């Protein structure tokens, strides 16, 4: 397969996942705005959304002040924000458009109509009250596209690159969400067990759409930080956990190796990461330091990406 | 006259160039005015490959590099035996009809100044004499001065300044000649010049096509036709087209520093 | 003006069945089918991009359901004529880049060739594989009466539109299968495999195995990008951009997930000056540095050859009948349109005095740009053009205002006459010629308009060639 084709497929999936992540963040913020008397935490929350999406500096250079409507507009539609949902969708479509023939007509149609549906939204003035509807539209479309990929794509190397894009983005994003809020997961805080804590934890779970899943996994027992760390980092069944993403990345890199009949073990770094996570316990993580652990994780993942890029995308 | 020439070009790339292709027109032209006794081109880094001989007779070499960073030196050197034919070029391996050289380029397109100058010139029926006239007019209109023009200065602009270097003289002569329907082209080469204080001996001049004689080489910055002190390397429509080394860097954000040195001496 | 469907109040033979069918279609069905057709096009994604309009830069070319129909007799003449022209064009290009006999014989003035920017001096003396410079030619033909088909323009560089020929058919077959059952219509879907065949016959000298073909596109912002990806898909070849290729030691490679792969034939859909920044535009990133060296050392073939565009220059067009006679010793089967060359003093005078009766075209323009239709122009526009021509007579030609034939379209569910042209796509390779039995019909959607270009509001029709 042409190197650029692989790269375009990878980024298509990556941008779609990013659009999805950003609206999930907005969903959490929206939920906060429905809860009364959280003025203080409120601004913080909006700020951390910007941090998590990696756009805080970009935002402040344009808007100067933290303001709900402005942030919404910035994250959804702003052309100057390279990670706005609009830009993510446009880039996803640009990428897939360049490799139209590497995906099924169904997948192309799904991405293309997502683009047009979202584009229609930009034609009218944005009102905050439309937010839930927009969030729903994005989530629905991204899920539709992913389902279409799984249901219609040939399981060839192109498929692997699509899935890889999805999980590299997710691993990175989940790690950053936890990292931005890592302090609320530390045992030393004096707020443990308070209302605020519970509320913060549930927000974190919601931001990765895992609140219900968490309940499924851990029953009705009380939420605590150990369970959350376990769930979001180490749980093999939670599709948002770091372990889950690493396992997927490892699996698809191995498939590529087999597909291309390569002898050299490309995926050693990822294999190491996978083995490490498999053995790890929450206490190990806390011993290393949660923030340290996450920083290292983000570094490791990006170095696996560099190898992937060098090997498959640069093509020479 | 037997000349030993060493032309050394040094590049310094501040950061890594992922892929670099350089196209070299550094091999002296084959013709009766100059006979190559031996010639060698080399590069300190990268793969040097002979490509093809083009329609103008250039023997083209390419250098291919991957992940190049730091210094690169390209050396073109050898011994050549030159003869004086009063500028008339003999035996060039050039397959082009001279009328191809009536087109203007960005650098040679006449503007108001050049047109104005051309209107003052009285055309002679004797083409040879007329070409000499044009050569002298350019020489007398422009004052040699370095540093006022650069390699993107057009003929029109340098005429406005009335100043320039050999390259500007050449562009103006090309532009004027074409106005009078005389095919003209830009030539790059070396000039052995004892009077020059600078060790700057890369030079540019012009070939004009005269029906009775074929291509004749005029040097407007020295008011004469070329002789055994000149070595012809490459030709084209203008400075850019004829340039002896062209390089294309892909995905390269860094800086590039260039200097070159040419030594010419007479073999005793 | 020639009406292709109704002549002297009789329905012409090829249209017999279809016209009655169209007239009998209930209005609500027509409207429904029109929406269905549009949805199908949208779904497939057949679009073309419009320049200077980045935001929503894609449009559908309007498709009209009433087919353009040619009888097999009519088609035979067109085919013969196009074959003759394609052979002559390639012979002409080979000649002017080598011995230039046609200039020595004074059939064409030397200035017209040597001073022509489309004449690429770097191609002089180079032997292109099998002497084929322009393997794919799109010939614009107009019909003026029952027997006359005239050539308006030859497109020898990178003619586009062939994807519409195939897609229009696909959509008509999906919507009106009954028509295809009752009429004997020649198929067009074999074009991509013929194209592969033709290109493979033009492998470079140093290619010793099954030649590897790629299509080189300027990228997804190009107006014809859809077509590039459509062809790559149906030909089973990679669609590449300049950055996907690189040259090392005169060999052209494609970057793949499995490392570099050697390339033998580049079917390029980018213009000459973007091919190789070492030889042409130095600031362009669309091309491949070193690819011309790879080409000149016979490691790769570039189709069409750089400099092939000389043959479709409008100034050369006027000499096409002479070119055919010179190389083939035959009379042209398809005639040119009467054309005045403004560089000729006598013809110049006629043009200047009769502007309002003529179409003025800039020699190097294309796509309907730089064109003046005298009868429709204001006094001011006429004066502007008069001055332009006086300033640079070499740059203009003039033609009579043509009476393009008409075929009806469904205009809000009822039939209404519109002007059409015809663009068949011929393929010429090593000892091979192929013209699929079909073409692109472009139609002016405005009543009485003569401009059929899609960039200026024209539409398309499916074109049927009836088998005997």
């Amino acid at each position: 397969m042409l190197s650029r084709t692989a790269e375009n497929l990878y980024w298509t999936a990556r941008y779609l996942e990013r659009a999805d992540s950003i609206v999930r963040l907005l969903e959490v913020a929206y939920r906060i705005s429905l809860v009364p008397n959280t003025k203080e935490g409120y601004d913080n929350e909006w700020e951390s959304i910007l941090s998590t999406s990696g756009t805080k500096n970009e935002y402040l250079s344009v808007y100067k002040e933290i303001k709900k409507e402005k942030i919404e507009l910035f994250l959804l539609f702003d052309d100057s924000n390279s990670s706005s949902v609009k830009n993510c969708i446009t880039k996803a479509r640009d990428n897939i458009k360049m490799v139209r023939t590497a995906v099924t007509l169904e997948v192309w149609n799904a991405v293309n109509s997502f683009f047009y549906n979202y584009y229609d939204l930009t034609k009218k003035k944005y009102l905050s009250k439309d937010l839930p509807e927009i969030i729903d539209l994005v989530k629905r479309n991204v899920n539709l596209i992913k389902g279409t990929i799984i249901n219609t794509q040939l399981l060839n190397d192109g498929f692997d690159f699509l899935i890889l894009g999805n999980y590299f983005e997710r691993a990175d994003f989940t790690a950053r969400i936890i990292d931005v809020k890592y302090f609320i997961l530390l045992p030393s805080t004096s707020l443990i067990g308070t209302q605020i804590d519970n509320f913060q934890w549930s927000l974190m779970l919601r931001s990765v759409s895992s609140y219900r899943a968490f309940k499924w996994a851990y029953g009705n027992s009380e939420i605590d930080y150990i369970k959350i760390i376990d769930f979001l980092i180490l749980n093999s069944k939670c599709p948002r956990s770091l372990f889950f993403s690493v396992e997927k990345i490892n699996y698809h890199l191995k498939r590529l190796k087999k597909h291309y009949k390569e002898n050299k073990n490309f995926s050693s770094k990822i294999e190491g990461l996978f083995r490490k996570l498999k053995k790890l316990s929450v206490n190990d993580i806390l011993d290393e330091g949660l923030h340290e652990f996450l920083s290292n994780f983000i570094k490791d993942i990006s170095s696996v990406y560099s190898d992937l890029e060098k090997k498959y995308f640069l093509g020479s | 006259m037997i000349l030993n020439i060493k032309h050394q070009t040094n590049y310094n790339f501040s950061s890594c160039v992922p892929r670099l292709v350089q196209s070299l027109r550094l091999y002296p032209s084959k013709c009766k005015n100059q006979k190559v006794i031996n010639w060698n081109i080399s590069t300190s880094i990268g793969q040097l490959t002979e490509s093809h001989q083009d329609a103008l007779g250039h023997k083209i070499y390419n250098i291919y590099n991957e992940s190049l960073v730091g210094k690169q030196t390209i050396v073109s050197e050898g011994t050549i035996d030159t003869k004086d034919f009063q500028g008339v070029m003999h035996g060039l391996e050039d397959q082009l009809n001279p009328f191809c050289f009536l087109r203007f380029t960005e650098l040679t397109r006449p503007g108001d100044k050049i047109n104005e100058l051309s209107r003052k010139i009285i055309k002679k029926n004797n083409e040879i004499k007329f070409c000499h006239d044009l050569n002298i007019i350019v020489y007398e209109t422009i004052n040699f001065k370095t540093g006022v023009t650069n390699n993107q200065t057009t003929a029109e602009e340098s005429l406005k300044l009335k100043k320039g270097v050999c390259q500007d003289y050449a562009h103006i002569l090309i532009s004027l000649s074409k106005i009078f329907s005389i095919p003209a082209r830009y030539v790059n080469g070396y000039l052995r010049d004892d009077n020059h204080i600078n060790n700057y001996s890369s030079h540019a001049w012009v070939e004009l096509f005269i029906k009775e004689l074929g291509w004749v080489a005029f040097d407007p910055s020295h008011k004469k036709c070329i002789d055994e002190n000149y070595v012809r390397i490459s030709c084209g429509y203008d400075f850019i087209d004829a340039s002896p080394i062209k390089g294309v860097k892909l995905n390269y954000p860094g800086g590039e520093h260039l200097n070159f040195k040419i030594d010419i001496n007479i073999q005793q | 003006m020639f009406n292709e469907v109704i002549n002297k109040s009789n329905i012409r033979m090829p249209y017999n069945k279809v016209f009655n069918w169209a007239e009998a279609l209930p209005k609500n069905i027509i409207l429904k089918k029109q929406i269905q057709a549009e949805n199908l096009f949208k779904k497939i994604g057949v679009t073309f991009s419009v320049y200077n309009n980045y935001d929503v830069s894609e449009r559908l070319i309007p498709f009209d359901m009433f087919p353009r129909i040619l009888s097999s007799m009519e088609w035979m003449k067109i085919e013969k004529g196009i074959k003759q022209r394609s052979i002559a064009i390639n012979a002409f290009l080979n000649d002017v880049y080598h011995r230039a006999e046609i200039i020595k014989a004074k059939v064409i003035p030397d200035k017209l060739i040597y001073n022509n920017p489309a004449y690429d001096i770097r191609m002089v003396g180079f032997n292109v594989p099998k002497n084929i410079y322009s393997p794919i030619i799109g010939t614009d033909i107009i019909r003026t009466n029952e027997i006359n088909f005239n050539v308006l323009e030859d497109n020898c560089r990178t003619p586009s539109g062939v994807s519409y020929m195939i897609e229009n058919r696909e959509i008509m077959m999906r919507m009106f299968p009954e028509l295809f059952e009752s009429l004997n219509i020649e198929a067009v879907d074999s074009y991509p495999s013929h194209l592969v065949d033709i290109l493979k016959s033009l492998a470079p000298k140093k290619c010793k195995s099954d030649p590897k073909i790629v299509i080189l596109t300027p990228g997804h912002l190009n107006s014809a990008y859809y077509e590039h990806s459509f062809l790559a898909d149906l030909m089973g070849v990679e669609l590449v951009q300049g950055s996907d290729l690189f040259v090392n030691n005169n060999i052209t490679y494609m970057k793949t997930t499995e490392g570099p792969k050697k390339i033998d034939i580049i079917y390029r859909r980018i213009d000459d000056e973007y091919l190789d920044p070492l030889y042409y535009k130095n600031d362009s990133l669309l091309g491949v540095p070193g690819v011309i060296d790879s080409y000149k050392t016979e490691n790769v073939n570039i189709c069409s050859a750089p400099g092939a565009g000389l043959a479709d220059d409008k100034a050369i067009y006027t000499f096409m009948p002479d070119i055919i006679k010179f190389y083939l010793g035959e009379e042209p089967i398809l005639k040119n349109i009467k054309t005045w060359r403004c560089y000729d003093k006598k013809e110049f005078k006629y043009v200047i005095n009769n502007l309002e009766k003529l179409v003025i075209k800039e020699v190097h323009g294309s796509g309907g740009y730089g064109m003046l239709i005298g009868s429709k122009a204001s006094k001011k526009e006429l004066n502007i053009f008069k001055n332009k021509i006086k300033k640079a007579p070499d740059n203009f030609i003039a033609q009579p205002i043509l009476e393009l034939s008409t075929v009806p379209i469904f205009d809000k569910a009822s039939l209404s006459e519109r002007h059409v042209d015809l663009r068949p796509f011929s393929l010429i390779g090593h000892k091979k010629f192929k013209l699929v039995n079909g073409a692109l019909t472009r139609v002016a959607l405005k009543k009485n308009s003569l401009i059929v270009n899609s960039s200026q509001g024209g539409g398309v029709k499916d074109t049927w060639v009836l088998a005997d």
Side-chain angles (χ1 to χ4, degrees):
Chain A
M1 160 177 293
L2 207 57
S3 293
R4 186 176 44 80
T5 305
E7 197 172 3
N8 286 138
L9 290 171
Y10 174 91
W11 283 104
T12 300
R14 196 153 179 175
Y15 280 121
L16 287 171
E17 174 72 14
R18 191 171 296 172
D20 188 60
S21 303
I22 286 166
V23 299
R24 282 173 204 279
L25 287 178
L26 281 166
E27 193 174 20
V28 176
Y30 177 74
R31 180 170 281 273
I32 302 168
S33 67
L34 296 180
V35 179
N37 298 328
T38 47
K39 184 72 192 85
E40 177 118 9
Y42 173 96
D43 273 2
N44 275 337
E45 209 51 53
W46 283 105
E47 225 177 309
S48 68
I49 284 185
L50 290 172
S51 311
T52 313
S53 62
T55 55
K56 191 169 161 188
N57 292 339
E58 262 176 289
Y59 175 84
L60 288 174
S61 72
V62 184
Y63 291 99
K64 315 283 188 264
E65 53 165 350
I66 303 286
K67 212 172 167 208
K68 173 175 174 285
E69 289 77 16
K70 286 185 177 162
I71 294 179
E72 285 169 7
L73 206 59
F74 179 71
L75 289 176
L76 287 174
F77 297 112
D78 202 322
D79 287 326
S80 69
N81 171 10
S82 57
S83 291
S84 72
V85 176
K86 183 183 170 197
N87 271 329
C88 286
I89 296 171
T90 307
K91 283 190 237 171
R93 178 169 176 272
D94 280 351
N95 270 285
I96 204 167
K97 197 180 164 196
M98 285 188 254
V99 292
R100 274 279 310 272
T101 52
V103 295
T104 58
L105 194 57
E106 286 90 341
V107 172
W108 160 249
N109 281 341
V111 176
N112 199 33
S113 36
F114 182 25
F115 171 81
Y116 279 112
N117 290 341
Y118 198 80
Y119 202 89
D120 284 342
L121 297 175
T122 63
K123 287 182 191 153
K124 54 182 186 191
K125 194 173 159 17
Y126 170 74
L127 299 170
S128 252
K129 72 171 175 55
D130 300 332
L131 185 59
E133 217 176 294
I134 294 172
I135 290 169
D136 187 53
L137 177 122
V138 173
K139 279 165 66 176
R140 199 161 15 97
N141 274 288
V142 172
N143 286 333
L144 177 75
I145 294 166
K146 287 182 185 171
T148 312
I149 288 170
I150 287 165
N151 265 339
T152 66
Q153 275 293 123
L154 197 65
L155 298 190
N156 57 8
D157 43 349
F159 179 79
D160 292 316
F161 286 111
L162 280 166
I163 304 294
L164 282 167
N166 188 36
Y167 285 103
F168 267 99
E169 177 68 18
R170 186 176 294 176
D172 186 64
F173 205 83
T174 304
R176 272 191 287 144
I177 283 187
I178 310 172
D179 196 32
V180 166
K181 287 302 192 90
Y182 81 96
F183 52 88
I184 67 161
L185 289 174
L186 293 181
S188 62
T189 82
S190 59
L191 295 171
I192 295 170
T194 65
Q195 275 297 163
I196 294 182
D197 233 15
N198 265 326
F199 180 61
Q200 290 279 9
W201 289 341
S202 70
L203 283 182
M204 177 173 285
L205 289 171
R206 282 183 203 280
S207 66
V208 292
S209 283
S210 300
Y211 186 67
R212 294 263 169 107
F214 181 85
K215 293 281 176 192
W216 271 97
Y218 298 92
N220 241 337
S221 66
E222 221 173 284
I223 301 183
D224 66 39
Y225 66 93
I226 300 220
K227 286 182 200 142
I228 293 186
I229 292 175
D230 180 63
F231 189 62
L232 291 185
I233 296 180
L234 300 174
N235 192 301
S236 64
K237 296 190 184 69
C238 167
R240 299 276 157 182
S241 78
L242 299 186
F243 180 78
F244 191 90
S245 291
V246 168
E247 190 180 25
K248 286 278 178 192
I249 292 170
N250 191 28
Y251 173 73
H252 286 280
L253 284 174
K254 275 191 180 150
R255 264 179 51 103
L256 281 179
K257 184 186 154 197
K258 212 163 141 193
H259 182 92
Y260 295 135
K261 299 186 180 74
E262 290 157 6
N263 308 319
K264 264 208 241 135
N265 210 356
F266 159 78
S267 32
S268 63
K269 238 180 239 164
I270 186 76
E271 180 77 29
L273 192 59
F274 171 69
R275 293 219 176 113
K276 178 183 157 194
L277 288 185
K278 209 169 173 182
K279 282 189 289 190
L280 227 52
S281 73
V282 174
N283 278 331
D284 296 335
I285 293 173
L286 289 173
D287 285 348
E288 186 181 344
L290 182 58
H291 177 64
E292 280 289 282
F293 170 82
L294 291 168
S295 306
N296 285 335
F297 178 84
I298 290 169
K299 239 186 273 157
D300 287 346
I301 282 292
S302 92
S303 110
V304 175
Y305 172 72
S306 301
D307 290 351
L308 172 83
E309 184 185 35
K310 212 151 113 202
K311 173 138 191 146
Y312 296 122
F313 297 167
L314 298 181
S316 52
Chain B
M1 179 160 46
I2 294 183
L3 298 171
N4 287 321
I5 298 171
K6 182 173 180 180
H7 175 184
Q8 183 171 327
T9 311
N10 299 308
Y11 290 93
N12 201 346
F13 298 98
S14 67
S15 63
C16 179
V17 191
R19 190 177 288 286
L20 174 69
V21 186
Q22 288 157 316
S23 177
L24 314 180
R25 284 165 194 72
L26 281 172
Y27 202 93
S29 313
K30 275 196 216 157
C31 55
K32 289 186 177 147
N33 305 54
Q34 55 189 34
K35 199 178 134 207
V36 174
I37 296 167
N38 61 67
W39 202 266
N40 188 46
I41 299 171
S42 63
T43 173
S44 63
I45 183 163
Q47 170 96 29
L48 182 81
T49 309
E50 185 171 346
S51 175
H52 65 284
Q53 180 160 329
D54 73 4
L56 286 159
H58 300 121
K59 210 167 163 185
I60 296 180
Y61 288 82
N62 288 333
I63 300 173
Y64 298 92
N65 264 297
E66 265 178 80
S67 310
L68 174 65
V69 67
K71 284 187 181 139
Q72 182 198 21
T73 302
I74 299 169
V75 177
S76 178
E77 61 183 329
T79 308
I80 195 161
D81 187 4
T82 58
K83 265 199 191 117
D84 182 6
F85 284 105
Q86 281 94 46
V88 181
M89 301 306 295
H90 292 288
L92 281 172
E93 291 188 3
D94 166 6
Q95 304 177 57
L96 292 183
N97 187 293
F99 290 118
C100 292
F101 289 95
L102 285 173
R103 301 178 206 173
F104 292 106
T105 61
E106 294 301 313
L107 292 177
T108 59
R109 197 176 309 283
D112 294 345
K113 284 277 169 191
I114 291 180
N115 281 321
E116 193 190 313
L117 178 62
S118 78
R119 278 193 294 271
K120 290 185 197 148
I121 299 170
I122 302 148
K123 179 148 191 188
K124 285 189 180 139
N125 283 332
N126 183 327
E127 257 192 316
I128 305 171
K129 280 192 180 142
F130 184 61
C131 288
H132 278 286
D133 283 359
L134 292 175
N135 196 41
I136 293 164
I137 288 164
V138 174
Y139 175 81
E140 286 170 350
T141 312
I142 302 297
N143 293 310
F144 188 90
K145 187 154 196 227
T146 55
V148 288
T149 57
N150 59 37
N151 56 21
Q152 281 162 31
T153 308
T154 65
E156 178 72 12
E157 284 162 358
S158 53
L159 182 59
K160 239 180 238 165
L161 294 168
K162 297 202 169 210
K163 287 176 196 128
V165 294
C166 58
Q167 166 194 325
D168 305 301
Y169 284 85
H171 282 156
I172 296 169
L173 178 55
I174 289 168
S175 191
L176 273 181
S177 306
K178 286 180 180 175
I179 291 175
F180 292 102
S181 297
I182 298 168
R185 63 192 185 192
Y186 188 98
V187 181
N188 261 315
Y190 307 123
L191 168 61
R192 194 189 74 86
D193 189 350
D194 295 331
N195 304 324
H196 243 86
I197 311 149
N198 296 335
N199 198 9
Y200 188 86
S201 37
S202 159
H203 193 55
W205 58 93
V206 175
E207 284 173 0
L208 300 179
F209 188 77
I210 299 171
K211 278 185 203 94
E212 302 142 56
L213 299 173
W215 289 104
V216 181
F218 290 85
D219 181 356
S221 50
H222 289 84
K223 205 169 69 170
K224 62 178 185 180
C225 284
I226 70 162
D227 53 31
E228 75 272 31
N229 286 304
Y230 290 73
V231 175
R232 188 186 193 274
I233 297 294
S234 65
C235 76
Y237 284 112
D238 56 27
F239 168 78
I240 293 175
D241 192 43
S243 68
I245 302 180
K246 287 187 192 180
V248 174
K249 299 173 285 291
L250 292 181
N251 307 318
Y252 177 62
E256 169 184 332
H257 183 77
L258 164 75
N259 69 64
F260 59 89
K261 204 179 130 199
I262 299 164
D263 292 318
I264 304 180
N265 48 60
I266 305 174
Q267 191 167 309
Q268 300 303 325
Chain C
M1 185 182 66
F2 181 66
N3 184 324
E4 291 196 16
V5 179
I6 299 164
N7 195 11
K8 292 170 194 147
S9 70
N10 290 323
I11 300 171
R12 288 183 61 253
M13 262 304 276
Y15 286 94
N16 239 333
K17 270 187 186 162
V18 168
F19 189 71
N20 292 331
W21 161 84
E23 286 228 301
L25 271 180
K27 283 200 170 167
N28 61 329
I29 298 283
I30 295 172
L31 293 172
K32 214 171 101 188
K33 290 278 182 188
Q34 273 168 344
I35 293 167
Q36 191 190 347
E38 192 172 318
N39 284 338
L40 281 169
F41 272 108
K42 253 192 201 152
K43 217 168 163 183
I44 305 170
V46 194
T47 57
F48 74 108
S49 309
V50 182
Y51 293 112
N52 311 325
N53 188 358
Y54 185 79
D55 232 14
V56 178
S57 58
E58 290 161 27
R59 274 197 232 156
L60 292 173
I61 293 188
F63 171 73
D64 179 70
M65 300 185 296
F66 191 96
R68 166 80 169 285
I69 309 176
L70 295 160
S71 72
S72 67
M73 285 292 284
E74 290 167 339
W75 187 253
M76 258 164 61
K77 182 181 170 185
I78 290 173
E79 181 173 13
K80 266 194 197 153
I82 286 180
K83 182 172 182 181
Q84 180 192 49
R85 232 174 148 94
S86 305
I87 294 170
I89 281 172
N90 278 290
F92 165 72
L93 287 167
N94 192 41
D95 184 31
V96 293
Y97 286 117
H98 288 87
R99 301 165 57 91
E101 299 289 355
I102 196 162
I103 299 165
K104 287 179 195 149
K106 300 208 172 355
V107 174
I108 295 185
D110 52 6
K111 193 173 107 180
L112 212 57
I113 305 288
Y114 298 130
N115 209 4
N116 194 322
Y119 182 73
D120 185 345
I121 61 165
R122 301 184 198 289
M123 290 299 291
V124 174
F126 177 63
N127 299 324
V128 310
K130 319 293 179 198
N131 296 334
I132 298 293
Y133 286 76
S134 183
I136 302 135
I137 299 176
T139 316
D140 289 349
I141 295 176
I142 60 166
R143 184 170 201 175
T144 46
N145 58 41
E146 183 71 49
I147 47 168
N148 263 352
F149 291 91
N150 297 70
V151 175
L152 188 60
E153 210 172 294
D154 304 282
N155 298 280
C156 304
R157 301 167 208 226
T158 55
S160 65
V162 77
S163 56
Y164 294 99
M165 171 180 88
I166 299 170
E167 293 284 36
N168 291 347
R169 174 63 54 85
E170 196 61 36
I171 279 169
M172 282 300 276
M173 284 171 78
R174 274 209 230 176
M175 293 199 306
F176 305 110
E178 67 276 11
L179 284 176
F180 288 84
E181 277 163 28
S182 65
L183 285 162
N184 213 349
I185 302 162
E186 299 272 11
V188 295
D189 56 358
S190 59
Y191 177 87
S193 54
H194 289 302
L195 179 52
V196 169
D197 236 39
I198 290 287
L199 289 173
K200 279 192 176 173
S201 78
L202 300 176
K205 231 181 221 154
K206 290 184 186 154
C207 170
K208 297 291 175 225
S209 51
D210 187 28
K212 179 106 181 142
I213 303 171
V214 294
I215 299 180
L216 177 61
T217 173
H220 73 285
L221 294 176
N222 182 269
S223 62
Y225 181 74
Y226 169 74
E227 176 156 308
H228 307 161
S229 81
F230 173 87
L231 284 175
D233 197 23
L234 293 183
M235 290 163 72
V237 304
E238 291 288 357
L239 178 65
V240 301
Q241 299 178 11
S243 58
D244 296 324
L245 302 181
F246 70 94
V247 177
N248 199 8
N249 295 331
N250 297 331
I251 306 218
T252 307
Y253 296 94
M254 166 170 83
K255 300 176 189 170
T256 81
T257 50
E258 293 164 90
K261 285 250 161 77
K262 187 174 172 287
I263 297 302
D264 304 299
I265 297 164
I266 300 174
Y267 171 31
R268 50 91 174 225
R269 296 290 298 251
I270 68 175
D271 293 340
D272 286 6
E273 69 250 48
Y274 296 102
L275 274 172
D276 185 343
L278 282 174
Y279 286 86
Y280 301 93
K281 272 196 174 173
N282 202 25
D283 49 357
S284 157
L285 289 176
L286 295 177
V288 187
V291 76
I292 293 293
D293 290 292
S294 187
Y295 178 55
K296 290 289 187 75
T297 49
E298 298 176 306
N299 284 297
V300 78
N301 192 7
I302 299 174
C303 299
S304 55
L310 178 71
D312 65 24
D313 189 86
K314 291 191 181 71
I316 301 298
Y317 162 84
T318 63
F319 287 94
M320 208 46 84
D322 308 300
I323 288 172
I324 293 169
K325 266 178 246 167
F326 186 79
Y327 295 106
L328 306 178
E330 298 168 3
E331 282 302 313
I333 297 165
L334 296 171
K335 301 274 184 292
N336 263 18
I337 308 286
K338 162 80 189 154
T339 305
W340 289 271
R341 304 157 181 158
C342 294
Y343 67 81
D344 180 299
K345 284 206 177 105
K346 243 163 83 195
E347 301 192 2
F348 169 79
K349 216 167 171 187
Y350 175 84
V351 171
I352 289 292
N353 293 330
N354 293 281
L355 272 188
E356 63 288 339
K357 283 191 250 165
L358 299 168
V359 178
I360 313 296
K361 289 180 178 173
E362 234 173 287
V363 173
H364 308 301
S366 70
Y369 294 102
M371 188 169 132
L372 176 93
I373 298 180
S375 59
K376 306 228 163 119
S378 67
K379 266 229 160 87
K380 204 175 147 200
E381 286 171 301
L382 285 174
N383 270 325
I384 291 172
F385 255 76
K386 204 176 265 182
N387 286 329
K388 272 196 192 172
I389 299 170
K390 279 183 182 162
K391 223 174 160 186
D394 287 14
N395 287 346
F396 294 90
I397 57 164
Q399 290 171 337
I401 294 167
L402 299 165
E403 289 295 323
L404 272 66
S405 59
T406 67
V407 175
I409 63 165
F410 288 106
D411 183 17
K412 296 194 190 83
S414 54
L415 293 176
S416 172
E417 301 298 311
R418 291 295 186 278
H419 293 288
V420 293
D421 81 347
L422 184 74
R423 178 183 282 186
F425 297 88
S426 60
L427 299 169
I428 178 161
H430 181 46
K431 294 179 179 158
K432 280 181 184 182
F433 173 84
K434 183 69 200 178
L435 179 68
V436 295
N437 299 320
L440 175 68
T441 290
R442 300 187 296 177
V443 54
L445 294 176
K446 270 187 254 157
K447 195 151 187 120
N448 299 322
S449 165
L450 293 168
I451 299 182
V452 297
N453 305 67
S454 56
S455 54
Q456 304 205 20
V460 294
K461 280 172 171 296
D462 189 16
T463 309
W464 296 354
V465 174
L466 301 179
D468 275 333

